[in-house]
Structures are given as structure tokens and as C-alpha cells.
Amino acid sequence: MTHYVPVPLERVQLGKPLPVDIWSPDGRLLLRRAQILRSEQHREMLASHHACMTEIDAKAWQKSLERLMRSLYNEGADMSLLTQLPLPSEIAEDDFLPGHEVNGGWMDVQDVLRGLLYQGVSAVSPLPRLEALEDRAMALLKKNPDEGLFILFQALPDLSLGYCATHSLLSGLVSVLTADKLGLTPGARATLMRAALVMNIGMARLQDNLARQKAAPNPTQQQDIDDHAALGVTILKSLHIQDATLLDMVQWHHTPDLFSGEGTAWTLLHVLYLADTLIAKMSPREVRRAMLPLVATKSLVMQSSEKTANLRQAMAAALGFYPPGSYVQLTNGETAVVIARGQKANSPHVATIINASGMPVSLYSYRDTSTPGMAVQAPVAAHSVQVKVIADKVMRLRQLHGV
């Protein structure tokens, strides 16, 4: 049985072809697809017949409208004005496919992203899936960025989860937090997240394999590494992604100095490059240990040039020296996991997981490292911590102490 829903006639454009058939509630065809709403009188006539459309057409039309609104919003348009935007006169073919909403937490997003990156050119309905991933990641980030950093930094050493997707999400999260420090627009932040999600689509499986490989890349693998940015652009174009800024960011995310653009495009590319490089240094491989976050972040700042100093400082301030999910030793002898960033880069909120005697504790204790006697004495490498951190305990502790 066909289900009909009312057509919002007040938002249908005059003089433009209709992308759907218009029906009466009892199933009589009033206006065929591609015909034109000619005048206000024509609109009133359809209203008098209670103009409807099929539920399938309605959902597809809504998706096309949301895509248009997303594009305009990313360009800086006022969202309050976008709510009155006329319905588009065309519906993209992908919008008739089933939805690809992403629910759940960060690791659910990571799992869906890994599948999309692996599929590459073979991905079905990639744009709605990518938009859903971006929307969910941005929603989770807005809700609680420290939780995202904690979960993803905890996942980073587990190479069985798929390093490429975890790396991409962390790079996106750090990029957006840096953009916040820099005061960039919501559209710029959204572009950074999307670029981070797809920047390595040209070598997703290879990136995961290399992370688990016990030897340096062979010549064939090295060539694939060198070619992955250009291949990524080719894949994205085949998936009908046409955003020139996004494509440039993927093309030059390893070689930003070769990019000839200026202004916001230059800034976005360099923020992505710095986040990508920083997370790579903090990530373990079978062939090497991860760099301590403190060392990696100090290196980020120390390598500043006149053009990039403000970007590097903003990223260091956004992430801190001890990001959530990493480990520290306190001056009281306890070993703790960082659960939230603090007011200063060197004073995070932490949870004790090993007491001063070196024994694991079942009941985590909250510590504010900005207080005397609880300061961070040194970072601790993740591979040296032989205790499994229980995320639920951490979340309860964070809620209890409001961090």
C-alpha cells in the first residue's frame, strides 16, 4: 500500500520543475514529475486538493534539501535562514537509497568508517554514509571532546581495531579542536573533519597492514605510500565528491609546502597536516614504539616557522601535553590515566589505576594534578602499563567530579 504525505507547497519554487509526482490523498495524479508549478493560483489549486507525495519521494526530497543546507552552512550561511530555504528542484539519485544513519559512540563510528575506507571505489552510496559519519563525529565531539580523545587514544595501541580509521578520527578531532582555538567557522571545522576521515582512503588497507608489519615497507609498498594522496583524490572524484578544498587537502596533506593556495584553504591544509603528523608520532607500530605525547607535542611547537607558529601553538593548547587516554606518573608515586584536559596543558584531570606501591587498584581515585602533591611527575608509555583501563569506571568518575 502506498503511503502519502502532504507536500509543503509554500516551499515549492515557482517556475522550476518538480522532482516528484504530486498526488491527491486518494491516489489521483495531480502533477507529473518534471512539470512546473506555474503561479500562486496553481499553488492554491493544488492546496485545495490536499497535494501529497509518496513517502519514498518525501524522504528523498528531504535528503536533497539537507544536502543543500549542509553545503550552504559549510560556506558560512546563517542556519536560521536556511530553515526557510525553498525545496530543491532536483533530487540526487543517492537520496532515493536507504538512509545510512550512524548511531552509538566513537568506536561505532570507527567501525563504520573502517568499512567505508576499505571499500573505496566499491562503496555503495558513499556520500550519505560519509555525511552520516561526519555528522555523528561532530555531534559526539560537541557533546564531550575529552571523552572522544580518551576513547580514541585508548584504542590507538590496539592495531587489531584498524589503525587507519582510529588515526583518521583522532586527526579529525584534534583538527577541529585546533580550529576552535583559532576561531575558524563551523564550515571550516566540518571540512577539517571530513578531510581527516578520507585523507588516507587511497591506502586504508595498506596503512593497517603496515602498522602490524614487522619490517619496514618494501619498495612496492613505499611506492603505494607515495601515490596514496593522488589515488585518494581519484577515488573521491569517482565517488562524486566535488569540493575543491577537500580534494586539495587530500592531495597535499603530506606535502603542504607544495600547495599554491592561500587564505583559509592554506590554513585548513596545514592544520590537517599537523594533526596527521602529530597523531602518527603518538601511534605505535610493530616496528617501533609510540612517541610519548609530551615529546610529540613539544616537538610540534619547537618546529614552528613564522607562518605556522600560531597553528602549532593552537594545536598544543587544544590537546595539552597529556591528552585524555594517555598515562602519567604523579609526584605521590601513583600511576594514573588521563581522563580530561585541565586548565593548563600540563595539569590534566586523571584517575589513579596503580597505587604508589605498584599495585593495580579496583576503585579508581580522581586526582586534579593542578593541586599541590598531585602534580604530574612524568609521562608513562602506554606499552609499559600492564593494567587494562575500564572505560565505564572512568566515565562514572568523570561524571562524579564534573570533568
Side-chain angles (χ1 to χ4, degrees):
M1 180 179 176
T2 302
H3 294 281
Y4 295 104
V5 297
V7 175
L9 289 168
E10 70 281 0
R11 298 183 68 179
V12 176
Q13 301 179 69
L14 297 179
K16 296 287 185 71
L18 281 160
V20 300
D21 291 328
I22 305 296
W23 304 83
S24 66
D26 58 1
R28 289 179 293 113
L29 184 63
L30 300 177
L31 209 59
R32 288 193 180 279
R33 192 183 309 258
Q35 290 187 294
I36 294 172
L37 189 64
R38 298 185 300 274
S39 64
E40 288 298 337
Q41 290 75 23
H42 195 185
R43 193 197 306 269
E44 291 171 5
M45 182 274 290
L46 291 174
S48 69
H49 287 82
H50 306 290
C52 295
M53 55 186 160
T54 66
E55 191 173 31
I56 292 173
D57 282 350
K59 289 180 178 179
W61 210 355
Q62 179 64 28
K63 285 184 182 179
S64 283
L65 174 62
E66 289 170 354
R67 180 170 299 167
L68 175 60
M69 292 175 66
R70 178 197 301 275
S71 175
L72 294 174
Y73 179 68
N74 287 347
E75 293 172 6
D78 186 339
M79 181 55 77
S80 64
L81 299 177
L82 294 182
T83 57
Q84 303 303 317
L85 202 67
L87 288 166
S89 57
E90 295 181 0
I91 298 178
E93 184 177 344
D94 277 351
D95 291 331
F96 284 100
L97 297 173
H100 294 280
E101 291 78 10
V102 179
N103 299 305
W106 283 102
M107 295 313 295
D108 298 290
V109 175
Q110 194 267 7
D111 185 54
V112 177
L113 175 62
R114 183 174 69 249
L116 179 62
L117 295 176
Y118 276 12
Q119 290 159 15
V121 293
S122 303
V124 176
S125 192
L127 285 182
R129 294 168 66 190
L130 179 58
E131 289 170 359
L133 285 164
E134 177 193 322
D135 286 346
R136 187 58 181 163
M138 294 296 279
L140 289 169
L141 191 158
K142 182 178 180 180
K143 180 181 178 183
N144 197 319
D146 284 309
E147 181 175 321
L149 290 169
F150 175 85
I151 291 171
L152 293 171
F153 269 112
Q154 282 282 294
L156 201 56
D158 188 350
L159 301 179
S160 67
L161 294 173
Y163 167 68
C164 182
T166 307
H167 174 100
S168 293
L169 280 171
L170 259 178
S171 297
L173 207 164
V174 171
S175 293
V176 173
L177 293 177
T178 303
D180 289 341
K181 289 287 185 183
L182 294 169
L184 300 183
T185 66
R189 297 198 293 269
T191 299
L192 278 166
M193 178 59 78
R194 181 175 293 197
L197 296 185
V198 298
M199 63 183 173
N200 291 320
I201 196 170
M203 58 172 286
R205 287 186 183 276
L206 174 61
Q207 193 174 23
D208 282 357
N209 291 338
L210 288 173
R212 297 189 298 266
Q213 187 170 295
K214 297 182 182 297
N218 61 42
T220 300
Q221 290 173 327
Q222 187 58 56
Q223 188 62 55
D224 289 339
I225 294 170
D226 295 341
D227 294 341
H228 86 275
L231 176 58
V233 171
T234 300
I235 292 172
L236 294 175
K237 285 182 176 179
S238 75
L239 300 180
H240 307 296
I241 290 179
Q242 301 173 341
D243 184 334
T245 300
L246 178 71
L247 296 174
D248 281 340
M249 291 172 72
V250 173
Q251 175 71 62
W252 306 109
H253 74 277
H254 280 300
T255 53
D257 291 340
L258 299 180
F259 178 60
S260 59
E262 299 177 343
T264 301
W266 185 94
T267 298
L268 296 182
L269 172 61
H270 279 76
V271 168
L272 180 64
Y273 163 72
L274 293 174
D276 180 27
T277 304
L278 183 64
I279 299 305
K281 289 179 178 178
M282 297 181 187
S283 305
R285 308 282 194 280
E286 284 292 343
V287 295
R288 66 158 173 82
R289 296 266 169 82
M291 186 180 290
L292 288 168
L294 175 63
V295 177
T297 306
K298 285 188 172 181
S299 173
L300 170 78
V301 176
M302 292 296 291
Q303 293 174 14
S304 294
S305 65
E306 185 176 348
K307 294 182 69 174
T308 66
N310 66 319
L311 306 184
R312 293 171 182 271
Q313 290 164 8
M315 188 167 292
L319 189 59
F321 292 145
Y322 310 105
S326 63
Y327 301 92
V328 293
Q329 185 174 29
L330 307 182
T331 52
N332 66 2
E334 296 173 345
T335 299
V337 61
V338 179
I339 61 175
R341 294 164 297 164
Q343 289 294 320
K344 297 181 179 179
N346 62 351
S347 58
H349 302 276
V350 306
T352 296
I353 57 173
I354 300 174
N355 65 25
S357 300
M359 297 298 294
V361 297
S362 58
L363 182 63
Y364 297 170
S365 297
Y366 166 75
R367 305 287 188 238
D368 179 352
T369 61
S370 66
T371 59
M374 297 291 178
V376 173
Q377 184 173 52
V380 176
H383 69 266
S384 67
V385 177
Q386 304 301 312
V387 174
K388 179 176 175 59
V389 175
I390 308 301
D392 287 346
K393 289 185 180 181
V394 169
M395 298 311 158
R396 286 196 293 270
L397 201 63
R398 288 181 64 251
Q399 292 171 359
L400 182 63
H401 292 275
V403 297

